[in-house]
Amino acid sequence: MAKGKNTKFKSILIVVVVLFVIITGGLLVFLSGLGPVDNKNEEPVTVNIPSGSGSSYIVEILDENGLVKNKTFAKIHARIGGYNSLQANTYIFTKSMSVPEMFKAINTGDFDYLSKEKLTIREGLTIPQVADAVAAEMPFSREEILGKWSDRAYLKQLIDEYWFLTDDILNEDIKYPLEGYLYPETYFITEENPSIESLTTMMLDMMDKQLSEIKSELEKNKYSIHEILTLSSIVEKESSNVSEAMPEVAGVFFNRLNKGISLGSDVTVNYIFEKDGVELTMSQLNSDNKYNTRKFTGLPPGPICSVNIKAIDSVLNYKDTDYMFFYATPEGEIIFSKTVDEHNKAVEEHPWTEEQAE
């Protein structure tokens, strides 16, 4: 009897071992089928996942792009893997990635694997220059972009969407309505076919984020957001090369505003004629354009360039001094003065042009 029991036990053990080998082997085959097509191939493969794609269809897309080793096993994994938030987008994968790695990236919309176009908008750029930067990277012309950004129906829609945009931007004296509102930043565009509207939203959303963090400070200020951005843009242009001087430059402008003296900023005159530099003609300085702060007191109708949070903060937290003038020298220094005689002396000692040196 003992011998029979022993034989039966051995038979069961053999069956268990065989089943274990079969299951383990099957699992290894299954896992291998989910593995990379080519471990050493790091060449990028662009994959577009359309909106509404299910897990099985995504496997088909991956397979068509040569990224799947075993389509049947991949579909089984996709079905039982718990992927419940698969995100449409354009992804960059490689043949060295496994099916689970790719599905995880698609399920989370992993930024590291998204196809990205880089768009850099620098502080200090005017709206035409921003349009040029966008046109250089995107399939839109400068004229198309500027046309959209001056479309009053579109602008009114944006005013309804963003708390910081007001009817101030529709003022007939304003040169470019969205001037100063498109936040300068390096953007990564992950849409397959971005539109001018979606790019505009991206830049306004960033401005929204920046301004929302200081919203209470903005609401307590006696100046409107439009006025703060306007002055911030002038400070940006006047002191971009000496950014640490921004609060002091802003302080000079507030002193002049408080005394009813014109801001006397040449950069606002440059804005009228869409130029840079220090040489201005008498006819330009005498322009009747409302942006001419050499002629008119108070703030111009709107911002003159894109501004970052540092320039905005310098206006909100300006340095209180007795200075009424400042002068940016060719050497990259800003000299502050209390009197016009002190200011003229600074100009004479650090001339930009031959005329100033005479």
Side-chain angles (χ1 to χ4, degrees):
M1 291 291 292
K3 186 176 180 180
K5 287 183 178 179
N6 193 37
T7 301
K8 186 176 182 180
F9 174 76
K10 286 182 178 179
S11 298
I12 293 172
L13 182 60
I14 290 171
V15 171
V16 170
V17 170
V18 170
L19 287 173
F20 176 76
V21 170
I22 293 172
I23 292 171
T24 302
L27 182 60
L28 290 174
V29 171
F30 178 72
L31 293 176
S32 176
L34 299 179
V37 171
D38 184 350
N39 275 314
K40 297 179 180 180
N41 192 337
E42 297 290 338
E43 185 177 344
V45 178
T46 303
V47 178
N48 179 48
I49 306 299
S51 179
S53 298
S55 59
S56 182
Y57 182 52
I58 290 174
V59 171
E60 293 287 349
I61 294 172
L62 296 176
D63 184 56
E64 288 172 5
N65 284 277
L67 296 168
V68 175
K69 197 172 184 180
N70 186 303
K71 189 162 66 171
T72 300
F73 292 168
K75 287 190 175 183
I76 293 172
H77 173 78
R79 186 176 293 275
I80 66 175
Y83 302 115
N84 52 16
S85 61
L86 295 165
Q87 299 183 33
N89 219 313
T90 301
Y91 296 86
I92 304 293
F93 296 139
T94 69
K95 291 184 178 181
S96 65
M97 295 178 67
S98 67
V99 169
E101 286 176 317
M102 290 184 283
F103 261 86
K104 181 180 178 182
I106 297 169
N107 197 55
T108 59
D110 194 327
F111 185 77
D112 289 339
Y113 293 102
L114 294 180
S115 174
K116 298 178 277 288
E117 292 284 347
K118 189 164 80 169
L119 172 63
T120 299
I121 305 301
R122 293 184 292 103
E123 58 271 13
L125 293 186
T126 62
I127 280 291
Q129 291 170 330
V130 174
D132 286 338
V134 173
E137 301 296 335
M138 299 288 119
F140 312 112
S141 69
R142 180 183 199 259
E143 291 70 30
E144 287 177 302
I145 298 166
L146 291 177
K148 174 56 68 173
W149 288 347
S150 62
D151 184 316
R152 290 182 74 84
Y154 178 57
L155 293 170
K156 288 178 181 179
Q157 176 186 327
L158 293 177
I159 290 171
D160 290 338
E161 292 177 13
Y162 292 94
W163 62 273
F164 55 88
L165 285 177
T166 67
D167 287 344
D168 286 327
I169 69 172
L170 301 178
N171 183 332
E172 62 180 14
D173 291 325
I174 286 195
K175 197 168 184 182
Y176 299 106
L178 291 179
E179 190 76 84
Y181 287 92
L182 303 179
Y183 196 80
E185 183 62 272
T186 294
Y187 298 95
F188 292 96
I189 300 147
T190 61
E191 293 177 88
E192 184 181 12
N193 295 302
S195 63
I196 296 174
E197 290 87 345
S198 66
L199 295 173
T200 306
T201 294
M202 179 178 63
M203 291 183 271
L204 288 174
D205 282 350
M206 182 57 73
M207 179 60 85
D208 190 357
K209 178 183 177 184
Q210 299 295 331
L211 294 182
S212 291
E213 292 178 1
I214 55 172
K215 189 173 183 179
S216 60
E217 196 173 353
L218 290 166
E219 290 174 340
K220 287 186 291 186
N221 200 286
K222 72 175 184 177
Y223 290 94
S224 69
I225 293 176
H226 185 73
E227 291 172 325
I228 289 169
L229 289 180
T230 297
L231 186 52
S232 298
S233 70
I234 300 173
V235 170
E236 177 72 60
K237 274 290 192 181
E238 290 281 15
S239 50
S240 58
N241 293 329
V242 195
S243 59
E244 64 272 14
M246 283 184 174
E248 209 161 0
V249 169
V252 170
F253 285 135
F254 276 115
N255 286 343
R256 297 178 75 89
L257 286 171
N258 292 336
K259 290 182 180 292
I261 301 172
S262 67
L263 297 183
S265 174
D266 287 351
V267 297
T268 64
V269 183
N270 279 340
Y271 181 71
I272 298 169
F273 300 98
E274 298 191 6
K275 65 184 290 292
D276 289 312
V278 296
E279 295 189 45
L280 291 166
T281 65
M282 285 306 299
S283 64
Q284 289 172 336
L285 291 171
N286 289 324
S287 169
D288 287 330
N289 190 292
K290 294 297 176 60
Y291 282 93
N292 185 0
T293 63
R294 287 285 295 266
K295 185 172 186 177
F296 299 104
T297 58
L299 293 168
I304 62 170
C305 69
S306 61
V307 294
N308 64 15
I309 194 64
K310 186 169 186 177
I312 298 169
D313 182 69
S314 73
V315 169
L316 292 175
N317 300 285
Y318 66 91
K319 188 172 182 179
D320 191 7
T321 69
D322 293 330
Y323 295 129
M324 297 298 294
F325 304 88
F326 65 86
Y327 177 68
T329 72
E331 297 79 30
E333 177 188 4
I334 293 184
I335 300 174
F336 293 90
S337 307
K338 295 179 182 179
T339 68
V340 68
D341 289 338
E342 291 176 353
H343 177 67
N344 288 338
K345 183 181 178 182
V347 174
E348 290 172 7
E349 293 178 349
H350 303 271
W352 278 92
T353 66
E354 292 182 2
E355 289 181 357
Q356 287 178 326
E358 292 176 354

